[in-house]
């Protein structure tokens, strides 16, 4: 059963970029709606920040700071012994189903105690089709969708 943890960002993407890439700990990375070169060191945070700025979606909303991105962590069940490729398949499918019109970066780590791979999914705040800001998707719907995708791939889910 994969667990999904949402985190909201209210700054540029530079901080999450530094966190996800520091010390070369990223096992792999995938991109949706971002033309990225194969070599390491590509500054995807700057691309996301430029997109948000172009649509003026980095400006405060009333008296509240703008949410600039959503960061989701997909942590598979250790009992599933999911491979990096299996996790990549799951994370990409989940991101495509839920954020197909957004810039998405997925970075994979195994820097936990059990060396279990997990995915960090960073979704930019700007819908590329409409130019509008990302509205918070229903967290339960996102979690249920992840569970269904996991079950379809032979991984455990909350219903088993």
């Amino acid at each position: 059963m994969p667990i999904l943890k949402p985190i909201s960002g209210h700054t540029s993407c530079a901080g999450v970029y530094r966190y996800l890439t520091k010390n070369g700990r990223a096992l792999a990375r995938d991109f949706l709606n971002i033309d990225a070169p194969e070599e390491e060191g590509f500054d995807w945070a700057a691309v996301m920040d430029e997109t948000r700025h172009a649509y003026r979606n980095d400006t405060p909303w009333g008296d509240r700071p703008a949410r600039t991105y959503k960061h989701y962590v997909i942590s598979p069940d250790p009992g599933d012994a999911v491979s990096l490729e299996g996790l990549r398949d799951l994370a990409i499918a989940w991101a495509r189903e839920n954020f197909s019109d957004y810039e998405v970066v997925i970075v994979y780590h195994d820097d936990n105690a059990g060396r279990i791979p997990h995915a960090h999914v960073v979704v930019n705040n700007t819908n590329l089709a409409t130019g509008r800001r990302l509205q918070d998707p229903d967290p339960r719907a996102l979690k249920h969708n992840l569970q269904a995708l996991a079950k379809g791939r032979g991984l455990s889910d909350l219903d088993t």
Side-chain angles (χ1 to χ4, degrees), residues 123-157:
V123 181
N124 201 6
N125 170 349
T126 301
N127 183 306
L128 298 171
T130 67
R132 302 200 60 189
R133 295 176 194 233
L134 173 68
Q135 301 301 309
D136 255 337
D138 177 6
R140 278 182 275 199
L142 292 175
K143 291 175 183 180
H144 287 303
N145 179 252
L146 180 61
Q147 297 302 321
L149 290 168
K151 186 175 186 177
R153 286 163 172 73
L155 302 173
S156 60
D157 67 314

Side-chain angles (χ1 to χ4, degrees), residues 32-33 94-104 123 127-129:
L32 300 175
N33 299 316
W94 181 80
R96 279 192 180 132
E97 281 197 23
N98 293 286
F99 303 104
S100 63
D101 289 335
Y102 295 86
E103 293 171 325
V104 177
V123 181
N127 183 306
L128 298 171

Side-chain angles (χ1 to χ4, degrees), residues 57-104:
N57 287 336
D58 53 0
T59 58
W61 186 255
D63 61 345
R64 297 172 45 192
R67 183 187 55 229
T68 50
Y69 62 88
K70 286 294 279 194
H71 174 186
Y72 297 93
V73 182
I74 298 175
S75 300
D77 186 327
D80 284 336
V82 67
S83 67
L84 176 59
E85 289 309 311
L87 178 60
R88 287 179 86 168
D89 176 61
L90 176 64
I92 291 168
W94 181 80
R96 279 192 180 132
E97 281 197 23
N98 293 286
F99 303 104
S100 63
D101 289 335
Y102 295 86
E103 293 171 325
V104 177

